[in-house]
Each structure stands twice: as C-alpha cells, then as structure tokens.
Amino acid sequence: MDLFETFFNLEVLARSFPMLLKGLWLTLELGAASILAGLVLGLALCMMRLYAVSPVRILTRIYIDVFRSIPLLVLLIIVYYALPFIGVRLSPFVSAMTALTMVSGAYTAEIFRSGIEAIPKGQFEAAAALGLGHRQTMVDVILPQSIRMVIPPLTNNSINVVKDTALASVVAMPDLLKQATQAQALAANPSPLIGAAAIYLAFLLPLVLLVSRLERRLSRGKA
Amino acid sequence: MPGYISIRNLQKYYGHYHALRGIDLEIARGEVVCVVGPSGSGKSTLIRCINRLEDFSTESAIHVDSVPVLPGANLAKVRAEVGMVFQSFNLFPHLTVRQNIMLAPRRVRGTSKTAAAAQADQLLARVGLASQAEKYPSGLSGGQQQRVAIARALAMEPQVLLFDEPTSALDPEMVGEVLDVMRDLAQTGVTMVVVTHEMGFARQVADRVIFMDGGEVIESAPPAEFFSAPRETRTRNFLHAVLDH
C-alpha cells in the first residue's frame, strides 16, 4: 500500500463523504450557536467588568480570567462527565455548547473591553455633555465605533471556536471529527481524516485571510 | 442674589494636588464670561465642574438655574441645558455631520426625525456649513469641525454654553471663523462661559473677564477695566506676558 492509497484513497473518501457532511453540519451548528451565545455573554460580561458595582466587577474579572485559563477539554469533561454527579445531565450538544460559550464569552468580553477602552475619553464626555444617558452613550456613540475595531479579533475568536468544536467528539458528539474517525475505523483507512482536514480548511482558511485583510485595512485607516 | 450659574466654595483635588481652591462665582443669565489665565491655573477644570464632567468635593455646591449639579437623575437634565464645546471637537466620527447634530435631540428630547433633521440643517446654515451635512467629520477642516460641534451643542437649545479652549487646537487661519460664530452667539442672550487664550475676543465680546491662577480666581472685571487697569500684580504680569510682544 503506498502513501497515496493510504491517505488519499478516493474510493474511501467518496464512501465516507455523506458521513463527513453530516458531521460538518453539526460542527457548523455547534460553532454558530456557541459563537452567538458567546457574543451575548461576552458583551454582558464586558459591561459588568467595566461598569457594575465593585463586587460584581471583581467577580466578573475572576470569571473572565478563570475561563481564559482553563483548557477547554478539561471544562468540557467537567460539564459532561462531572455535572451528572450533582444531577445536571446535559446532552453532548448542550454540554459542548455550554463549555464553548463559557470560554468564548470570556475571550469576547476582553475583546469588547479593548474596543471600548480604545475609544477616546472625549467621546464619552461629548455624549455626557449632551445629556445622553449611559445606555444611550453605549448604544449610539461608543459601541458602533468599538465594533469596527473589534471585528478582526472577534473573527479570530470565531475561528478558534469552530476549531474547538472538534473537542466535542470526546463527549460522543457526532461532529465532523467524530464522523471522520468513525469512517476511518469502518474503512480501516485514514483518508476520511484527511477529508475532514480539507473541509475544516475550506471553511476556516478564507476567514483567516479575511481577518488579515480587515486588519490591514483598519491599520491603514488609522495612519 | 444668586446668579443663574452659582458656584460656591468649589474645591477640586486630583489625588493630593489641590486644583481648585475654593472658587466662588456668580454668573448672571445672558452674561458672557471669559476665563483667562496661565496653563494649569484650573480654568478648564472650573468649567468642566459646571456640568460635572469633573467630580468635585461635597463641601462645594454648583447650581444652574437653581438646580444643584449633583450625580444622579438630575444630572442629565442639567447637562441637557448646558451645552459644551471642547478643545478637540469630539465629534462622533461614525456619524455624518447632520447625524451628529440630530443625535441628542432625538435621544434626549425625543424630537422626531424630520424635525431634528430640519433643525440640524438650520443650525448648519447658521454656522455657515449648509453644504456639509452629508459629510463625515474626518472630511472637514478643524475650523469646520468646531463649527459643527457648536451646532451640535446648540441643537439642545441650551441656556448655557461652555467653551473649553475652543480655538486652541486650530490652525491659526481657522481661528477667526470659529470666533465669528461665537461672537454671533454672544448676541443671542445665551449665557456663555469661555475658557480662552484669545485676548482680542475676550476684550470685544465678554461682559466680564475672570483671571485665574493657581486654582483661584484672582481678578474679575469688565474687559475695559480688566485690560486697561488690572488691580492685581499677577494679572498685570500675565497680561504683560501674553500681550506685550
């Protein structure tokens, strides 16, 4: 058996393709759901981190630091295998989404914070001097400017979330990677793994390139 | 009788630095007051306390139209009546010129979109920028941006206008166009407090000139008297330094 037949076996690839597609669909669902939930959580965390009363601010900060430090795989195993001991039993999809969201929310909060803190103080002062309240200042003045700045790091974070969905295969969720390893076992051939890698690349590489382009454009806008 | 703006025993600390040392000041409705003095004398801090962009200690009291300038629900109300124009313009870069002017009336006063747009265009005509409504601030010169900032403050129909060194960030050739707009405003009866280095403007337009140094009001007099016969040595030294060369 030569290398080509082992890793790029077209016949095996073609046979496993429907399985891979099913896995891809789940991966995208999990990724999208976690990214969106992470954005909402991240914005809420960021507002608490910056503007809540001091005890809440400290707790939020601890949350953010802890969930940026904990390896996602560890968190996922805790959520899926440890929580049942205290009576919380979540499906593989919900477990994976919970873990991904908690971590993505922590990163997103820090991204939003950097975006808000990059806005000059004068913008807050001009809004305050006009009589705008805190919420109006955020919604109409600060966030629209921050969001432009944080689109590249947010996209980066989204790429990470989609890549991390592969960890969900550990909790028996039939995502793209899980389908690929199963197909590999069935065919006794690793070509489906190469197929999965190609599919991940096809989705994520364009996003990576987009981020570089956005970053270049933003830095040019500043100059 | 307390003034329209009444400042009593205004004390301001930055850490241990005593920036304002017990300022008492009464400003009448419709009065145009220019505040002058060396850098670091506390002039900007003083007017930033009037709409409480700067916090001040609890022993101090500021009232605008008899409303105490305290944190809380009243503050937004006071700020809606007190317009401010900043040294660095602080226009909202993601909004067009017209949207910059419309934002506060829409959000704070609940003005309808059409009414706010009509008002914005009227104000832009007043500051000589009728043709620039669709542009973004970055497409305007410094002088134009500052005139938009004045229009934006006027859109709230404020009783008081605070100017924090409005021409200090401008190229010299653009100072005149901003001062002209301010001169016109002074005729309308709005109360103005202007921190400035433009002694010509203070001399011609102010009802009263206040000289600050070291966090205190040293002298307060009508411009004719202030510039020709200053009473205090520190005032004389300052005027000598800025005028005689």
Side-chain angles (χ1 to χ4, degrees):
Chain A
M1 233 186 217
D2 64 5
L3 179 103
F4 197 81
E5 225 172 289
T6 310
F7 288 100
F8 303 94
N9 192 316
L10 290 180
E11 191 202 332
V12 174
L13 265 178
R15 243 189 303 137
S16 62
F17 196 65
M19 272 177 91
L20 293 186
L21 271 189
K22 245 183 11 200
L24 170 66
W25 180 239
L26 205 55
T27 288
L28 292 181
E29 264 185 333
L30 178 60
S34 307
I35 289 166
L36 287 179
L39 279 175
V40 174
L41 176 66
L43 186 59
L45 285 171
C46 170
M47 289 298 144
M48 290 195 281
R49 164 88 168 75
L50 287 175
Y51 304 114
V53 289
S54 147
V56 177
R57 220 158 50 203
I58 293 167
L59 285 177
T60 311
R61 202 174 161 168
I62 292 172
Y63 174 96
I64 291 171
D65 290 346
V66 166
F67 282 88
R68 285 195 306 159
S69 315
I70 195 165
L72 182 63
L73 186 55
V74 175
L75 181 63
L76 186 57
I77 287 171
I78 292 174
V79 170
Y80 187 69
Y81 291 106
L83 286 188
F85 285 100
I86 58 164
V88 182
R89 213 170 291 275
L90 302 174
S91 71
F93 186 92
V94 174
S95 300
M97 185 184 154
T98 304
L100 283 166
T101 301
M102 290 173 97
V103 170
S104 173
Y107 279 102
T108 308
E110 286 300 275
I111 292 170
F112 277 130
R113 183 168 71 94
S114 71
I116 288 170
E117 288 179 344
I119 305 294
K121 209 174 85 200
Q123 294 288 306
F124 290 87
E125 291 183 347
L130 285 166
L132 293 174
H134 181 76
R135 220 183 74 89
Q136 293 164 327
T137 302
M138 279 295 147
V139 171
D140 290 317
V141 177
I142 305 302
L143 291 180
Q145 297 183 59
S146 300
I147 280 171
R148 279 172 217 208
M149 266 186 276
V150 300
I151 282 175
L154 280 183
T155 312
N156 248 332
N157 182 60
S158 303
I159 292 168
N160 282 331
V161 171
V162 174
K163 281 196 297 187
D164 286 344
T165 56
L167 290 172
S169 57
V170 172
V171 295
M173 203 189 84
D175 75 321
L176 177 54
L177 179 62
K178 186 75 180 173
Q179 295 286 14
T181 51
Q182 267 170 359
Q184 175 199 14
L186 281 176
N189 180 295
S191 293
L193 275 178
I194 303 296
I199 293 174
Y200 279 119
L201 276 181
F203 269 88
L204 296 179
L205 198 56
L207 280 178
V208 170
L209 297 176
L210 177 73
V211 172
S212 322
R213 249 186 61 190
L214 285 174
E215 277 171 347
R216 267 206 310 277
R217 233 187 36 205
L218 271 178
S219 65
R220 210 177 326 137
K222 242 180 253 161
Chain B
M1 196 192 100
Y4 188 67
I5 302 172
S6 165
I7 300 170
R8 296 280 166 81
N9 186 31
L10 181 58
Q11 307 272 357
K12 168 75 186 173
Y13 293 86
Y14 291 105
H16 288 298
Y17 179 65
H18 201 172
L20 295 177
R21 298 165 178 265
I23 295 197
D24 293 292
L25 191 60
E26 305 292 328
I27 296 172
R29 184 189 275 271
E31 197 178 6
V32 177
V33 174
C34 282
V35 184
V36 304
S39 331
S41 59
K43 339 180 269 295
S44 285
T45 309
L46 167 66
I47 71 161
R48 288 166 56 84
C49 284
I50 295 177
N51 61 355
R52 212 164 177 130
L53 285 184
E54 297 290 341
D55 245 324
F56 47 82
S57 61
T58 47
E59 65 208 294
S60 316
I62 299 181
H63 290 78
V64 175
D65 197 11
S66 305
V67 180
V69 184
L70 292 171
N74 265 340
L75 188 55
K77 240 180 269 170
V78 170
R79 283 172 171 171
E81 300 299 329
V82 179
M84 189 164 208
V85 175
F86 299 86
Q87 180 177 347
S88 48
F89 329 135
N90 296 345
L91 293 176
F92 305 133
H94 61 297
L95 299 178
T96 64
V97 164
R98 185 186 284 122
Q99 289 167 336
N100 261 277
I101 300 171
M102 288 168 65
L103 180 65
R106 298 256 295 132
R107 292 289 183 266
V108 181
R109 299 250 194 263
T111 311
S112 75
K113 200 167 175 179
T114 27
Q119 185 203 23
D121 289 347
Q122 215 176 335
L123 287 168
L124 281 173
R126 185 161 156 199
V127 298
L129 293 171
S131 57
Q132 314 287 332
E134 308 287 343
K135 286 195 182 164
Y136 285 87
S138 56
L140 302 181
S141 72
Q144 291 173 323
Q145 289 192 49
Q146 195 59 300
R147 284 186 281 156
V148 172
I150 293 173
R152 180 176 69 174
L154 288 174
M156 292 296 284
E157 294 168 348
Q159 301 299 309
V160 177
L161 276 173
L162 308 173
F163 291 86
D164 188 4
E165 304 200 21
T167 58
S168 297
L170 296 177
D171 291 334
E173 73 272 20
M174 294 173 183
V175 170
E177 63 192 69
V178 172
L179 292 182
D180 285 343
V181 169
M182 291 169 61
R183 197 170 285 130
D184 289 343
L185 277 177
Q187 309 300 317
T188 63
V190 66
T191 309
M192 287 168 62
V193 186
V194 185
V195 170
T196 186
H197 295 290
E198 297 293 330
M199 294 303 147
F201 178 83
R203 195 197 297 259
Q204 291 163 21
V205 181
D207 296 312
R208 182 156 53 121
V209 182
I210 287 172
F211 172 69
M212 285 184 69
D213 193 16
E216 292 172 300
V217 172
I218 305 298
E219 185 154 356
S220 166
E225 193 183 320
F226 182 89
F227 287 102
S228 58
R231 288 187 304 271
E232 303 290 332
T233 324
R234 275 199 268 182
T235 315
R236 278 197 292 274
N237 290 342
F238 173 75
L239 288 176
H240 179 74
V242 295
L243 294 176
D244 300 347
H245 48 102

